[in-house]
């Protein structure tokens, strides 16, 4: 019988960063598919801060989280190797949510067939471009807007600034964690300016001329950057929010202290989940694939090999060690 490895959550991390004993890489039998099921051999999976966050009990936040004793999950792309489901055949390439395991055996309805030729790499199907796209749709970029993007060299941020530009933004500023990343986003991704948030968010935004000029902030980190963005926003500016990485990393709430300015400036904050917007997926797929094909968007990625290296990669990502979307290759 075929066997495959899966990463199980054994216990919840004391702080958000897992210790080796919190997980176990276990070899398990891969059963033959029952009626309606398929067996998928995973090729790539997403490594993202949400994976570390989901190791904790998130019931108070109304966010789904991993069960202890069970395999973890994340977005993945794989190839069907056995099928008892009429709509999928061996050789089909599928997108699904059963990452953190070498083989997924589930109902065929849980898998979405994808066109392997749409992007130069299958891994691009795991890009967080959809998150960036939906955020920009939700926020609505107006011609000439000054836009600030958090974690501009990261999975969501590396794409969000590029889409903002394609939608007509006048000036796109990125916040990043190092001078090398600042060079990367300006030289490779077309950001107009970038700063290292370790140098102080507010002084850097003022230095870059954003004071009272910021129309839109694409937030994924929260904390001091969100506070600084509120400080420099124009009246009636908009904030769109997909994550709060600062809290994932520290495990400690670090809310902005200047919330009264939200009222004074009549700022709007809109948080979103990608899965709230299934209506935008097909529009995204057509438009984004076209941009990639025409060279209008750079899909930044770091690929890490081997399921055994997945946890270290997730921790490394949170610490800012990588550029672009972090992908695990099986
Ligand atoms: N709402 C949704 O549907 C949805 C979907 C996917 C992801 N998300 C969320 O979106 C966020 C971004 O995901 P991603 O995969 O693109 O992650 P990412 O931005 O590629 O990775 C996180 C990065 O944030 C930076 N960072 C860490 N702590 C920070 C801090 N305190 N302040 C500023 N930057 C910090 C680090 O880079 P540097 O320090 O080097 O800059 C790190 O690499 C995550 O919070 C994720 O959970 C939401």
């Amino acid at each position: 019988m075929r066997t495959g490895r899966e990463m199980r959550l054994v216990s919840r991390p004391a702080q958000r960063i897992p210790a080796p004993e919190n997980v176990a890489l276990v070899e398990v039998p891969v059963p033959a598919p029952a009626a309606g099921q398929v067996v998928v051999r995973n090729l790539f999976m997403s490594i993202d801060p949400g994976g570390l966050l989901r190791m904790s009990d998130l019931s108070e936040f109304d966010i789904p989280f991993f069960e202890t004793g069970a395999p973890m999950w994340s977005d993945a792309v794989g190839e069907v190797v056995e099928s008892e489901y009429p709509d999928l055949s061996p050789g089909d390439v599928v997108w699904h949510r059963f990452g953190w395991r070498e083989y997924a055996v589930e109902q065929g309805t849980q898998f979405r067939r994808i066109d392997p030729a749409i992007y130069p790499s299958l891994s691009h199907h795991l890009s967080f471009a959809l998150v960036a796209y939906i955020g920009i749709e939700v926020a609505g970029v107006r011609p000439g807007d000054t836009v600030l993007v958090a974690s501009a060299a990261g999975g969501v941020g590396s794409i969000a600034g590029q889409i903002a530009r394609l939608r007509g933004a006048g000036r796109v500023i990125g916040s990043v964690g190092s001078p090398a990343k600042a060079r990367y986003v300006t030289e490779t991704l077309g950001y107009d300016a970038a700063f290292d948030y370790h140098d102080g968010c507010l002084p850097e935004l003022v230095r870059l001329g954003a004071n009272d000029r910021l129309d839109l902030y694409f937030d994924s980190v929260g904390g001091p950057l969100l506070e600084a963005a509120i400080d420099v926003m124009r009246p009636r500016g908009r904030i769109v929010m997909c994550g709060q990485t600062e809290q994932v990393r520290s495990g400690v709430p670090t809310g902005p202290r200047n919330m009264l300015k939200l009222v004074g400036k009549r700022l709007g904050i809109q948080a979103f989940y990608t899965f709230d917007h299934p209506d935008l997926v097909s529009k995204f797929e057509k438009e984004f694939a076209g941009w990639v094909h025409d060279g209008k968007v750079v899909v930044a990625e770091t690929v890490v090999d081997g399921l055994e290296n997945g946890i270290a990669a997730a921790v490394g990502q949170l610490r800012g060690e990588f550029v672009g979307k972090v992908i695990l290759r099986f």
Side-chain angles (χ1 to χ4, degrees):
M1 187 191 242
R2 213 195 294 262
T3 61
R5 296 178 303 167
E6 63 183 32
M7 190 69 78
R8 286 187 190 164
L9 183 66
V10 173
S11 55
R12 304 202 183 279
Q15 283 293 321
R16 296 263 192 242
I17 306 295
E21 62 273 18
N22 294 134
V23 293
L25 186 58
V26 184
E27 180 121 13
V28 294
V30 179
Q37 286 189 326
V38 294
V39 180
V40 170
R41 183 172 65 86
N42 280 335
L43 303 170
F44 296 99
M45 71 169 222
S46 169
I47 297 277
D48 49 81
L52 292 188
L53 186 64
R54 291 179 202 288
M55 290 180 166
S56 299
D57 182 332
L58 302 176
S59 35
E60 66 171 306
F61 301 113
D62 201 18
I63 294 175
F65 54 97
F66 303 143
E67 299 287 333
T68 51
M72 299 174 6
W73 39 267
S74 80
D75 296 355
V77 164
E79 182 185 4
V80 175
V81 290
E82 286 181 68
S83 179
E84 292 297 333
Y85 176 67
D87 292 350
L88 289 171
S89 308
D92 282 347
V93 179
V94 290
W95 180 97
H96 60 96
R97 292 201 185 272
F98 306 104
W100 292 104
R101 67 204 77 179
E102 289 170 331
Y103 289 89
V105 185
E106 298 288 342
Q107 290 298 313
T109 49
Q110 301 290 310
F111 300 87
R112 179 164 57 86
R113 189 192 293 104
I114 55 177
D115 176 358
I118 242 181
Y119 297 122
S121 167
L122 274 184
S123 57
H124 289 3
H125 287 274
L126 298 172
S127 143
F128 274 171
L130 177 62
V131 188
Y133 185 93
I134 288 173
I136 295 291
E137 288 288 299
V138 165
V141 176
R142 296 172 192 148
D145 270 358
T146 295
V147 178
L148 169 66
V149 178
S151 192
V156 177
S158 61
I159 303 285
Q162 297 184 78
I163 297 181
R165 163 82 71 228
L166 287 164
R167 291 283 191 241
R171 183 165 163 77
V172 184
I173 301 172
S175 163
V176 293
S178 71
K181 286 187 177 181
R183 280 195 299 281
Y184 178 76
V185 304
T186 51
E187 291 170 10
T188 305
L189 305 182
Y191 276 70
D192 296 292
F195 63 93
D196 182 345
Y197 63 83
H198 298 104
D199 294 338
C201 300
L202 186 56
E204 286 296 284
L205 283 167
V206 170
R207 180 180 70 79
L208 294 174
N211 201 15
D212 289 332
R213 295 223 176 98
L214 190 61
D215 299 288
L216 172 61
Y217 171 42
F218 195 124
D219 188 24
S220 60
V221 301
L225 183 58
L226 177 56
E227 183 172 298
I230 291 170
D231 274 338
V232 298
M233 288 201 91
R234 274 189 213 277
R236 301 190 192 280
R238 293 105 64 212
I239 299 169
V240 65
M241 184 182 286
C242 71
Q244 292 285 284
T245 305
E246 164 74 17
Q247 276 195 44
V248 181
R249 186 155 76 172
S250 65
V252 178
T254 47
R257 295 162 298 181
N258 54 353
M259 293 299 276
L260 197 52
K261 287 189 183 167
L262 282 178
V263 182
K265 297 190 191 188
R266 283 77 142 188
L267 303 181
I269 297 193
Q270 179 64 59
F272 69 97
Y273 276 147
T274 46
F275 49 75
D276 292 336
H277 299 273
D279 50 308
L280 290 175
V281 173
S282 61
K283 186 175 173 225
F284 157 78
E285 282 172 345
K286 281 192 206 96
E287 202 166 19
F288 189 70
W291 289 334
V292 174
H293 183 264
D294 297 343
K296 290 184 175 163
V297 169
V298 175
V299 182
E301 265 182 10
T302 298
V303 178
V304 174
D305 281 308
L307 186 53
E308 65 281 8
N309 297 316
I311 298 292
V315 172
Q317 178 193 31
L318 204 55
R319 293 190 174 137
E321 289 169 15
F322 307 122
V323 163
K325 178 80 194 80
V326 183
I327 301 283
L328 186 128
R329 180 164 48 200
F330 285 87

